[in-house]
Every structure is written in structure tokens, then in C-alpha cells.
Amino acid sequence: MKAVIIIFIFITLCLISGQVLCFSVFGCTGGSLMFKCMISNQRETDDQHKVKYFCRDRGCKMGISTDVQSQWVYNGRFALYDDENSRFFTVFIRNINREDYGEYTCGNNQTWNHYVTLVVSKGSRCGKSAIRDGYLGQKTITFRCEYDEKFKTHTKVFYRLNEDPVHVLKSSRSSQSSEEKFSLSDSHKDHFTVTIRDISAADGGVYLCGVERDESHQSSTHITFIKEIQLNVYGQTSVQVQAYSSKSVFITCKFPQEFKGNKKFIQKDSSQKIFVEEQNQWVHHDKLHMYDDSSEGRLKVFISDLTAADEATYRCGVNIPDHDLFTEITLTVNQVDHFPALSKASAIIGESVKLTCNFPEKHDETFTHICKENKEKICESISSSEKKRFEFSAGPAGVFTVSISNVSVRDAGVYWCGAETRDTHLTSVSLTNQHQLTPTMVGREGDSSEIKCPYDENHSTEIKHLCKGKCFTPDAQHIIRSDEAHVNNPKISVKNETELNLFTVTLSDLRAEDAGIYWCAVKEEFNLPIELMIVLKDALFTHEASVGGSVSISCKNVRTQTQRLFCRGDQPNICVRDGVRVSSDTRTSGRFSLTDETSAGVFTVNISNLTEEDSGKYWCAEETSGSFVFTEVHLHVTQETTTSQDEGESVSSVIVAVSVGLILLAVCLVLMLLKIKYSCKHEIVSSCGSTPVQLPTIPSDELLYTSVSFQKHEESLSEASVSVSNEEIHSDYTTVIYHIMPD
């Protein structure tokens, strides 16, 4: 409604202006449109050399502008051609959609402009597209272009897209001749046809069917293109294909639909042609596997285990009257060492799994690819209904991953991934990585586990088998058949749900010996593996350790002659695939080591120099012929913050402090004593020269008097002695006279 109001306002303004400043053009969803924007007659010819534009907004975010003349300029779906010798420029819009509906302006950037209303409609015969196949030397090919009845009197046109957006080839107004390269015939009812003669490689490309329109005085003459046709021309073309030693390559050759019933062939170098005698089934010839797909007119070729001898020039062709139509393939087999051999992967049913694939650098411009081997060991593309569960993601240089979600038993098998290269007439896939995927179940000792075996509808009446080991082989252990009762083994029960195409076997009271790979089978045609892993009951071990320390974990051996391993992961299958830390094959790995204690029936894993990151869930695992038994281990690594350590550190600190204090006190006392001694010595010397020192001036009642005399030569002062008379005792007053006698 809003768009209608805007258009009404623009038309009103155009009428008020009194000049032809506005016009309308009409397109249809999915189609294309071409019209001319005329330079105003009132303007000077200098306007021809200014910037021209066709825009929806002031910033021209939707539209196009250019000052280039005499060549097409592109901006996404928009193209503009400014003819310097004409008083107009041409605008072309491809793949119109409903959002293009609205008001635009065309003009130059200074002096003039026109308002353009682009009306987008949806017609039953408008905006169609088609793909047609032709071949070199073909005499004629005819295109049919349908139009609505309202266009039956309009001029019809046939254009071609090439280096320039459009080039007129034929118009219904021009004379027609059966000898011309292009001829157009109009039914004047609902369609017109165009015939191209003597097809050559140059005729390949995109063509447009259109009608000229001039529906009112406010509508400029323009062309509404109602159909787009892609013409592929097949011929003796040559294509390079890169492949890798010991790997595989898958090649698909395309041919015109009219030859889908003709015999296809492969020819290596100048040897004899190898014709595919049967359609819609794989035909084997030496290393070549060929499939003639009659529904699509394609020949599929699969070559495995490539060697240098497979490097050659091949012709992939179809036999037609008078001559052959083929594509020449130059196959190069490269020697590489960095592509891994078969990798084994497991995934818990209902969860997802990631497969890692190599992507050679020389294939950077191509596409990632994954396929699955069929019973003939031919790798076929994943069905369209299953593709949504396969997700590709880029990794480091030369690597990508494929994630398969919601894994089921049907996903079991061998997958190949690699690089896909697409050409007009041929698609090739260079396969680099092979993965063996086995869906996995985890059961706990003493519990029950259901093994669900799907089968194809055409096997609903056949007997279903469950085996431990691949069914119908000498080493297979028969478990049960769909036509057997479970009375012979009360631990096993079976249920066949034909409406669901599902055969279910329940194993009860699980034991370690139940671990292994089971196979669901119908005859020898349908054989799917599923792995059952057993986790021992009541065998959970929890270990506490400190950062920087070490821990020893003892794992019990429940079976003899097994490979032992210690791994980390939330699930046992992930642990075995990605988290192995140490095993009986690799007994030491960094901080992890494994030792066997056969007499004690255990193996011990030691982890040194622990960190907090080592905390988590680990598994002690035993493996015998692909069957695994697990014991769950939890490890908690924490910082060492014990009370005794803190008290020890506190006592040590006190001892150090007290020791330092005592030392300082002792030093102070020594210094004080030395000072006192020094002071006393100097006081005596200064006070006792030749003058007696009077001590108390108030004598006691029983006053006694004592004299002490020192006499010694100067050179022997250190040997001075004091003599006291026995008679002079109880003295309260004392006189000390110190003389140094000269020599």
C-alpha cells in the first residue's frame, strides 16, 4: 500500500510539472530488464560527458553510476552503458526481485534527471530459467519461450549475455530466413521459438527471451526479459585431473540429455574402447568401475589403488550416429607421503563424530567432498536426504573436517574425503583420506544394552542375524537370528519390527566378555558393525594429589593377553580415539609411565610433576581384538595448603626472628660493656693525676682510712699490682695515688 501511495505521488508531481520528467518500466520476479534513459532535449550536448547514474537513493547504494563511456560498467546486478554518440544511456538489471519495486532517478550528476518507477510483477510465465545441452556439429537446437497472453501483439526479442551484458540476436520485427544462424518464430498466442543452427563451441552461454513494452504515454519503451536459458555445448574438450598414489579418483562425465540412452565408453590412450553394456548398475573392468546413469545422462568412473601405471589420457564418451562425443581426460598420479592410511573412528550412537581430511594446495579453488563406499567398495556421494547431517569446516592450511551428527548404525562403513573439481562437462573428485567409522555403544557391567539393527525394506521377509565378528565369515560367533527363540540363552532377547524395518537384540546382565564388535546382517548383502564397550561396575577409583607431586594409579587386569592403555576423555570411545596418554606399546610418554605387575594382576600408571590441569576423568582400558573393557578413574589435583606446613613455616619464622633478636641484643651488650670500660678508664686517668680523689665527704661513725699506692715503670704498666695492708681494713675513705716512675 505504501509503495502505491509513493508511486501515486510521483505521478502527480510529474503531471503538475507539465514536462515528461517521469516514466515507468516493468519487470518480473526472476527476470531481467533493459531500458534507455534519454538526455533532455533542452540541455547542451556537454551533458553527454558528465557522470550518468541510475539510483534509488542519494548515496546510490542501490543502483549504478559512472563517467565511463562506450563500455559496459557493472555494479552487482546492475549494468550501465553510456553511448557517447547517442542522446541516451542504457540500463540493464538482472534477476529482479520484489524488493526492487520502487522509485529511482536517472540522469547526470549536475543538470538533469528523470524519475523512474520500477514496477515488479509476478507472472506465471515470467522469470523462468532452463538449461539445455548441445554438442559440437549438432545441426540445430531450438528454444521455446513462453509469454502471457497480454504480450501476444508485442515485439519479441532474443538476446545473448556475453562480455557485454546483452547483445540482440533476433527480433520478431526482422525478416526470418531458414538459412540464418538464428531464426525466431512467434505463435502470437503464448510462445515463440528460436532455432540456432550449426552448433559450435562459441554458441555456449546464456540467452534471454524478452518482449518490448510501451504501455502508456508515461512508459518508456523497454524490454522485459521473461526467460533465461543456459546452453552447454559438449565436444572434444580436454580436462586435467590430479590424483594421488594409493588413493582413488571419481570422475563423472556429462552428456546431452538426448543421448542418455546411447552407449557410453571409456578409452585409455589408444587402446580399445570399453563400452558400458548395462545401464544403472556398476560394471567392473580391471581397475575401472563404470556406471551409466540413464536418468541424468552421465557416465561415472571410479579408479581405486592408483599407481603410476594409471597415469594416462582417457576418453570419456558417448556413441552417437556418425561420430563419438567425448571429453578427453589427462590423469596425473602424484606421489605423496603425508596423506594418512586408513583411520579408524568411533562414535556413540546419537552423538556426533569428526573426520579429518587433507585438502591438497593445488586444489584450493575447488570444493570439499565426502563419499561412502558401497558393497562393491565404490565410493558414492551421500544421499541428499542425509547431507544435512554432514557439516564441513575449514581447519589449518590443507586440512578440513567433516562432522557427522546424530550417528546411527546405518552410518557404519568406510568414508573417503578429498577435493572436488567442477568443469562444464566433467566433475572429478581426488580422494585423499579413508575413514572406517564404527558406531559405538557403552554398557555397564550388570546392566542391559539394546543393539538396534536397521535393514532395507526389501529385506523385511529375510532372516536377520546378529554376530560377534562379521557374519558369514569363519571367525564369526553366532549370537541370535530373528527366527530363533531366546530360551537357549535367557540373557538374550530379540524383537523384529517390520513396520520400522528394525531388528533389535537385547543383551542382559552384561559382563566383560560381552565387549566387542557385533554385526547386523541380512544374507551377505547387508552387514553393519556396531561396537559394544563395557565399563566395569563398582570399579570407580578416585585419586587425590597435589600440584608438583606425583600419583600412582593401579588398574586391575580382568582379561589375559590384552593391550593395556590409559587415556583421558569424557566418553570411553573419545578417550581411546583422542586421549591415549600411555599404553603397553608406548610405556613412557612425557610425564606418564606404565608398568605391568603381572603377579598382582594389575598394571600401574604413574603421573609425575602434576598440574591442576591434570584433574579430570581417565580410563584404564584393556583391548583384545577390538573389544574394550574400561575402569573409570577420577583424578583431583589441588594446591598443597596443609595446616602442618603452615605451622612449620610459622615456627621457622619465629625461630629466625628470635635468633636475630638475641644476636642483636648480644652485640648491644658487648658494645655497652666496651663503652663502659672505655669510659671508666678515661675517667680514672683524668681524675687521678697527682691529686687525690676525695670520695665521701661525710664519713661514717667508724671511719677507717686505707691507702693504695701504685708504682711501676712506664714500659711495664700492664703488670701493675695492688697491695693492701692487712691492718687497714673497714675503710670508708680511700685515697688512691698512681705514680708513673720515670726510667
Side-chain angles (χ1 to χ4, degrees):
M1 185 65 182
K2 184 177 179 181
V4 174
I5 294 173
I6 293 173
I7 294 172
F8 176 77
I9 293 172
F10 269 85
I11 293 174
T12 302
L13 291 174
C14 292
L15 294 174
I16 294 173
S17 67
Q19 303 179 44
V20 183
L21 300 177
C22 307
F23 64 89
S24 300
V25 292
F26 297 83
C28 61
T29 54
S32 300
L33 173 68
M34 187 172 69
F35 64 91
K36 297 174 181 178
C37 188
M38 305 299 296
I39 298 174
S40 299
N41 293 330
Q42 294 84 359
R43 306 300 178 190
E44 300 294 331
T45 56
D46 289 344
D47 286 350
Q48 293 178 230
H49 305 289
K50 299 182 185 298
V51 174
K52 309 301 190 303
Y53 67 87
F54 174 73
C55 299
R56 190 169 191 170
D57 50 66
R58 186 177 296 274
C60 207
K61 293 180 180 178
M62 185 171 181
I64 187 170
S65 65
T66 181
D67 59 357
V68 177
Q69 291 187 315
S70 301
Q71 71 180 60
W72 283 97
V73 179
Y74 303 89
N75 182 26
R77 297 179 295 115
F78 295 83
L80 187 151
Y81 184 88
D82 184 7
D83 187 347
E84 61 181 343
N85 298 316
S86 303
R87 296 187 60 81
F88 64 84
F89 63 87
T90 304
V91 176
F92 177 75
I93 311 172
R94 193 178 182 191
N95 296 330
I96 293 174
N97 56 62
R98 292 290 297 176
E99 286 69 32
D100 294 329
Y101 194 115
E103 299 304 322
Y104 297 78
T105 55
C106 69
N108 68 13
N109 62 349
Q110 293 183 13
T111 57
W112 65 272
N113 67 282
H114 297 313
Y115 295 107
V116 183
T117 302
L118 173 55
V119 181
V120 181
S121 61
K122 184 177 181 180
S124 59
R125 299 185 177 184
C126 192
K128 302 294 184 179
S129 62
I131 299 176
R132 293 291 304 276
D133 295 327
Y135 60 94
L136 293 177
Q138 187 173 346
K139 293 182 178 180
T140 62
I141 188 169
T142 300
F143 303 139
R144 179 185 173 97
C145 304
E146 297 83 6
Y147 55 78
D148 291 336
E149 186 179 0
K150 63 182 179 181
F151 297 135
K152 63 183 180 180
T153 61
H154 289 238
T155 299
K156 315 304 185 300
V157 294
F158 189 68
Y159 277 59
R160 180 179 181 180
L161 291 177
N162 47 23
E163 291 79 8
D164 296 334
V166 285
H167 174 68
V168 63
L169 296 175
K170 205 65 181 175
S171 168
S172 59
R173 289 181 300 184
S174 60
S175 60
Q176 308 295 324
S177 170
S178 60
E179 301 302 321
E180 291 183 90
K181 178 74 173 179
F182 298 90
S183 61
L184 187 152
S185 176
D186 187 5
S187 69
H188 297 290
K189 292 181 179 180
D190 57 4
H191 74 277
F192 67 93
T193 59
V194 176
T195 300
I196 308 176
R197 290 174 171 80
D198 299 325
I199 303 302
S200 67
D203 294 324
V206 177
Y207 295 85
L208 300 172
C209 304
V211 294
E212 285 190 2
R213 305 178 70 163
D214 186 6
E215 301 184 354
S216 70
H217 67 280
Q218 293 170 349
S219 173
S220 172
T221 299
H222 58 282
I223 298 175
T224 299
F225 293 105
I226 55 179
K227 188 172 185 178
E228 185 172 300
I229 303 169
Q230 170 73 52
L231 174 61
N232 298 321
V233 178
Y234 294 84
Q236 284 71 29
T237 57
S238 181
V239 178
Q240 297 282 335
V241 174
Q242 300 288 336
Y244 303 93
S245 178
S246 77
K247 306 301 180 180
S248 303
V249 64
F250 194 103
I251 298 171
T252 301
C253 303
K254 308 171 189 176
F255 303 105
Q257 282 289 310
E258 61 186 285
F259 302 131
K260 61 184 181 182
N262 294 44
K263 279 190 177 183
K264 315 299 187 305
F265 66 86
I266 286 289
Q267 184 178 21
K268 182 179 179 181
D269 291 330
S270 57
S271 61
Q272 189 175 0
K273 295 176 185 177
I274 304 170
F275 284 96
V276 184
E277 300 294 343
E278 302 291 336
Q279 289 190 321
N280 303 319
Q281 68 181 48
W282 284 100
V283 177
H284 177 72
H285 186 277
D286 292 336
K287 293 185 68 174
L288 294 174
H289 293 80
M290 299 166 291
Y291 187 96
D292 182 0
D293 187 346
S294 63
S295 63
E296 297 184 4
R298 299 182 178 187
L299 177 61
K300 301 176 183 178
V301 182
F302 184 75
I303 311 174
S304 59
D305 300 321
L306 290 167
T307 66
D310 297 313
E311 192 169 84
T313 298
Y314 295 81
R315 286 184 174 183
C316 181
V318 58
N319 185 238
I320 59 178
D322 302 327
H323 67 286
D324 292 330
L325 180 63
F326 61 85
T327 298
E328 195 169 80
I329 305 165
T330 302
L331 177 62
T332 302
V333 179
N334 300 282
Q335 300 293 325
V336 293
D337 299 322
H338 59 280
F339 294 158
L342 176 67
S343 301
K344 292 185 178 181
S346 62
I348 299 294
I349 292 177
E351 298 187 3
S352 61
V353 63
K354 286 186 177 181
L355 308 179
T356 301
C357 306
N358 293 95
F359 197 81
E361 293 182 3
K362 61 181 65 179
H363 293 282
D364 283 347
E365 300 300 323
T366 56
F367 305 87
T368 53
H369 182 89
I370 189 167
C371 54
K372 184 180 180 182
E373 282 188 4
N374 60 16
K375 60 183 180 181
E376 289 93 359
K377 297 189 179 299
I378 299 166
C379 202
E380 296 188 295
S381 298
I382 306 300
S383 65
S384 56
S385 61
E386 294 293 326
K387 279 185 178 179
K388 60 185 178 182
R389 296 193 297 113
F390 291 73
E391 182 178 345
F392 294 84
S393 58
V399 176
F400 69 94
T401 58
V402 182
S403 179
I404 308 174
S405 60
N406 193 23
V407 172
S408 70
V409 176
R410 284 190 180 273
D411 294 320
V414 176
Y415 292 81
W416 282 89
C417 50
E420 177 180 332
T421 304
R422 299 172 186 174
D423 185 79
T424 304
H425 312 301
L426 180 143
T427 299
S428 64
V429 181
S430 297
L431 301 173
T432 55
N433 301 83
Q434 189 181 24
H435 297 274
Q436 171 75 57
L437 176 61
T438 303
T440 303
M441 301 173 59
V442 178
R444 292 193 173 268
E445 186 181 23
D447 292 346
S448 298
S449 188
E450 284 188 345
I451 299 178
K452 297 181 180 294
C453 300
Y455 52 84
D456 294 336
E457 187 176 1
N458 59 330
H459 293 147
S460 59
T461 60
E462 304 288 345
I463 296 175
K464 288 75 181 178
H465 302 258
L466 181 70
C467 314
K468 197 172 184 181
K470 190 172 185 178
C471 295
F472 313 116
T473 62
D475 297 330
Q477 175 188 346
H478 171 73
I479 301 299
I480 197 169
R481 300 182 354 171
S482 57
D483 60 345
E484 289 180 343
H486 65 279
V487 292
N488 296 330
N489 191 339
K491 285 183 54 176
I492 302 174
S493 61
V494 63
K495 179 172 58 176
N496 185 22
E497 300 171 273
T498 54
E499 66 280 2
L500 299 177
N501 296 327
L502 190 65
F503 170 57
T504 303
V505 177
T506 302
L507 304 180
S508 304
D509 192 22
L510 293 174
R511 294 287 181 263
E513 56 268 22
D514 293 323
I517 298 179
Y518 293 79
W519 290 75
C520 307
V522 180
K523 298 182 176 179
E524 295 186 11
E525 303 175 6
F526 195 78
N527 229 334
L528 295 176
I530 180 170
E531 183 173 5
L532 176 60
M533 296 178 171
I534 301 296
V535 176
L536 297 182
K537 189 177 181 180
D538 301 327
L540 172 63
F541 298 115
T542 301
H543 292 264
E544 303 281 349
S546 301
V547 171
S550 62
V551 65
S552 292
I553 300 171
S554 293
C555 303
K556 185 178 180 181
N557 279 327
V558 297
R559 299 184 297 181
T560 59
Q561 297 181 345
T562 62
Q563 181 187 23
R564 281 81 60 204
L565 54 92
F566 185 76
C567 57
R568 181 177 183 174
D570 291 333
Q571 294 286 350
N573 66 305
I574 298 175
C575 165
V576 171
R577 186 187 67 198
D578 301 325
V580 174
R581 296 296 187 262
V582 69
S583 69
S584 53
D585 290 337
T586 307
R587 294 183 176 271
T588 302
S589 178
R591 298 178 296 113
F592 292 76
S593 62
L594 182 148
T595 56
D596 283 316
E597 300 177 41
T598 308
S599 58
V602 299
F603 65 93
T604 301
V605 175
N606 183 267
I607 313 173
S608 61
N609 194 20
L610 290 165
T611 66
E612 288 188 78
E613 289 72 24
D614 291 324
S615 296
K617 184 186 290 187
Y618 294 81
W619 303 86
C620 299
E622 297 178 54
E623 186 265 332
T624 303
S625 301
S627 67
F628 288 88
V629 175
F630 294 87
T631 301
E632 190 173 346
V633 178
H634 290 182
L635 176 60
H636 302 288
V637 181
T638 58
Q639 291 285 351
E640 187 175 4
T641 56
T642 61
T643 304
S644 59
Q645 180 180 0
D646 292 343
E647 290 177 352
E649 292 177 353
S650 178
V651 170
S652 299
S653 299
V654 171
I655 291 173
V656 170
V658 170
S659 299
V660 172
L662 290 174
I663 291 171
L664 291 175
L665 180 60
V667 170
C668 292
L669 289 173
V670 170
L671 291 174
M672 289 177 64
L673 291 173
L674 290 174
K675 183 176 181 181
I676 293 171
K677 180 177 180 181
Y678 181 84
S679 299
C680 290
K681 177 178 180 182
H682 283 268
E683 286 177 1
I684 292 171
V685 170
S686 62
S687 304
C688 308
S690 58
T691 306
V693 178
Q694 298 293 328
L695 291 175
T697 58
I698 303 175
S700 63
D701 293 339
E702 296 180 1
L703 177 61
L704 293 176
Y705 185 84
T706 301
S707 294
V708 180
S709 297
F710 295 90
Q711 290 184 349
K712 192 69 179 179
H713 291 288
E714 186 175 357
E715 61 271 20
S716 59
L717 279 174
S718 60
E719 298 178 5
S721 62
V722 179
S723 61
V724 181
S725 175
N726 292 333
E727 297 175 357
E728 300 175 328
I729 57 176
H730 304 292
S731 175
D732 290 326
Y733 286 84
T734 303
T735 299
V736 179
I737 300 174
Y738 183 88
H739 292 286
I740 300 176
M741 300 298 291
D743 292 335

